[in-house]
Amino acid sequence: DYAGNVGRRVTTTTSTTTAPPVRTITTVAAGADHTCGLAVSGAAWCWGSDLDGQLGDGDTTGATKDSPVVVQGGHTFSSITSSNYHTCGLDVSGAAWCWGSDSLGQLGDGDTTGATKYSPVAVQGGHIFTALTTTSAHSCGLDMSGAAWCWGDGSLGALGGGPATSMIKFSPVAVTGTHAFTSLTAGPYYTCGVDTVDDAWCWGHDAQGQIGDGDTTGADKFSPVVVAGAHSFTALAAGGAHTCGLDLAGAGWCWGDNSVGALGGGSGAGTVVFAPLRVLGAHTFRS
């Protein structure tokens, strides 16, 4: 508008705002207070609490990150899994890397000092894994032959290597038996897997029936025991103190702590259920 300003040159400026970078995340894994995701490129990005190095960005200050930071090392990951205070990723070659709290050997890098790792360290043993699962006190991997390997706190049997592994193991130990697993899932101080003939096996802490083998004594299992009921499962998911499975027909079955109804079997099921209980309703689940 030049009205009243004849003969004067008017200069205008335009304010611009730089948009944040767009990142396409293909996979997300959530821990207690942090989240990680994989970009299309295979780079891992994490955000949230970094108090225990679980973001893997190399920052040793423990400062919370309110937006994604890249995990150090230039790795190209194919999968990622997060627990309360650490994170693990599987790279495209099948090598496993972990970062964060190592107080119970849950990073599997062979370091017995318990020192926190602020960027990825290699899980020892030279294993080529196809899948990883992790909780706050232990981690497990599935190798190309279907053998399971676990590391971390084995005091309650979560490592599955027999009584000799009832302690902290700082690198992977073989789960006992000749099982060929197709998947693994880990809960607090216990682990479960589905084998190639669709049987479910669990090992570790059983105080609330989360192993599902029908044993009502609460005794911890240091080697895999078969889940009762002769069900054919396609998938399992471990919770805090209960486990659920999906059978070939799409029916859901759960066992363990039912004090707040987590098993879905109705009000008369009891507070602890030691073998699979069918989830009520005619649902056909896919996952």
Side-chain angles (χ1 to χ4, degrees), residues 27-49:
T27 303
V28 169
D33 297 309
H34 79 291
T35 309
C36 293
L38 293 186
V40 173
S41 65
W45 297 79
C46 298
W47 55 96
S49 173

Side-chain angles (χ1 to χ4, degrees), residues 208-210 212 254-258 263 269-277:
Q208 292 161 301
Q210 56 266 59
C254 296
W255 55 94
D257 181 10
N258 195 40
L263 307 190
T271 55
V272 177
V273 177
F274 298 94
L277 175 72

Side-chain angles (χ1 to χ4, degrees), residues 100-284:
S101 174
D102 196 25
S103 59
L104 296 171
Q106 57 267 55
L107 303 190
D109 64 336
D111 181 3
T112 62
T113 68
T116 296
K117 308 304 190 305
Y118 297 92
S119 57
V121 291
V123 173
Q124 295 297 293
H127 305 287
I128 303 299
F129 291 113
T130 60
L132 298 174
T133 183
T134 188
T135 69
S136 58
H138 79 291
S139 306
C140 294
L142 185 64
D143 74 16
M144 296 182 71
S145 71
W149 299 79
C150 297
W151 54 95
D153 186 359
S155 60
L156 300 178
L159 306 189
T165 60
S166 60
M167 58 191 74
I168 292 176
K169 293 294 185 180
F170 298 93
S171 57
V173 295
V175 173
T176 59
T178 57
H179 310 287
F181 293 106
T182 58
S183 64
L184 296 174
T185 181
Y189 299 99
Y190 78 106
T191 313
C192 295
V194 176
D195 68 17
T196 54
V197 293
D198 304 322
D199 288 331
W201 300 79
C202 295
W203 55 95
H205 193 41
D206 196 26
Q208 292 161 301
Q210 56 266 59
I211 300 301
D213 64 336
D215 180 5
T216 61
T217 68
D220 298 329
K221 309 303 189 301
F222 291 87
S223 299
V225 291
V226 70
V227 172
H231 304 287
S232 294
F233 289 107
T234 60
L236 300 175
H242 78 291
T243 310
C244 291
L246 183 65
D247 73 15
L248 294 175
W253 299 81
C254 296
W255 55 94
D257 181 10
N258 195 40
S259 60
V260 292
L263 307 190
S267 59
T271 55
V272 177
V273 177
F274 298 94
L277 175 72
R278 183 162 181 169
V279 176
L280 289 181
H283 310 289
T284 302

